[in-house]
Amino acid sequence: MLSQAMKSILFLLLTTALLAGEKPITLWPNGAPGALGTSAKDIPTLTPYLSAKPTGAGMLLIPGGSYSGIYEGQAEPFALWLNEQGITAFVLRYRLGSAGYRYPTQLQDAVEAMLQIRGNAVKWEIDPKRIGVMGFSAGGHLASSLATHFDAGKTESKDPIDGVSCRPDFAVLCYPVITFTQEK
């Protein structure tokens, strides 16, 4: 049985975690490319966690879940910890294989998330040359894909966000799935 002090601490921690993230941003307000519908599972989002004392660094966090679910509980504690270090964090909710989406859909969502972060760097007090990606399990696979399958931006685009590179400046892979083959 928890003491009243422990209950108060738990309540404070849970409240802080729930309030820390900003309102999720829809990556494609006019509908994601190749969307199979219009429900929440078809709408990828990016949730900013803004640091009270920003250092100019930013981190895209990609939770895992075997591409069949998203375990945001993996990423949110890291987002809060990064905030304490002065790093602005963003948690990606991408489209899943369990909802009928296949490669390269998840990579499209990660690319768009990085474009949104870099394209809005001034707004979030981030140095556009100090933005990394951190992924967990299947999210680690997606982070490695983002780090190795990027473009430099479409310089001819009239949309300033399309004109920036989606290449992360660094990548952290936490227990990533880096192969889909089985050894015998």
Side-chain angles (χ1 to χ4, degrees):
M1 193 159 165
L2 293 174
S3 70
Q4 186 59 37
M6 288 298 290
K7 288 179 184 176
S8 296
I9 291 170
L10 278 172
F11 177 77
L12 179 63
L13 289 172
L14 288 172
T15 303
T16 302
L18 291 173
L19 296 176
E22 299 285 314
K23 181 180 175 195
I25 298 164
T26 301
L27 289 181
W28 283 284
N30 298 323
L36 302 175
T38 57
S39 67
K41 66 182 180 191
D42 303 302
I43 304 170
T45 62
L46 188 64
T47 304
Y49 287 77
L50 306 177
S51 176
K53 298 178 184 174
T55 61
M59 182 76 80
L60 171 61
L61 298 172
I62 306 177
S66 302
Y67 289 115
S68 63
I70 293 182
Y71 302 119
E72 291 178 49
Q74 294 171 319
E76 288 174 337
F78 281 96
L80 297 174
W81 182 83
L82 289 167
N83 283 170
E84 290 173 8
Q85 312 314 308
I87 300 168
T88 299
F90 301 85
V91 176
L92 174 63
R93 174 172 278 280
Y94 51 93
R95 292 172 285 171
L96 301 169
S98 60
Y101 292 101
R102 301 289 176 253
Y103 178 84
T105 303
Q106 295 83 6
L107 182 57
Q108 286 177 324
D109 294 346
V111 164
E112 185 63 19
M114 186 59 74
L115 292 175
Q116 291 291 331
I117 295 167
R118 186 161 279 129
N120 290 293
V122 171
K123 170 183 164 183
W124 287 315
E125 299 180 50
I126 299 172
D127 178 344
K129 295 181 180 165
R130 295 179 61 206
I131 303 171
V133 62
M134 180 181 208
F136 308 84
S137 190
H141 175 263
L142 189 49
S144 71
S145 296
L146 180 62
T148 57
H149 298 87
F150 58 86
D151 67 37
K154 299 172 184 79
T155 55
E156 71 283 350
S157 177
K158 291 181 181 163
D159 182 347
I161 290 184
D162 285 340
V164 299
S165 172
C166 65
R167 179 188 155 285
D169 297 302
F170 56 93
V172 180
L173 310 179
C174 301
Y175 51 94
V177 175
I178 54 174
T179 182
F180 289 115
T181 61
Q182 293 181 351
E183 298 205 19
K184 294 182 180 187

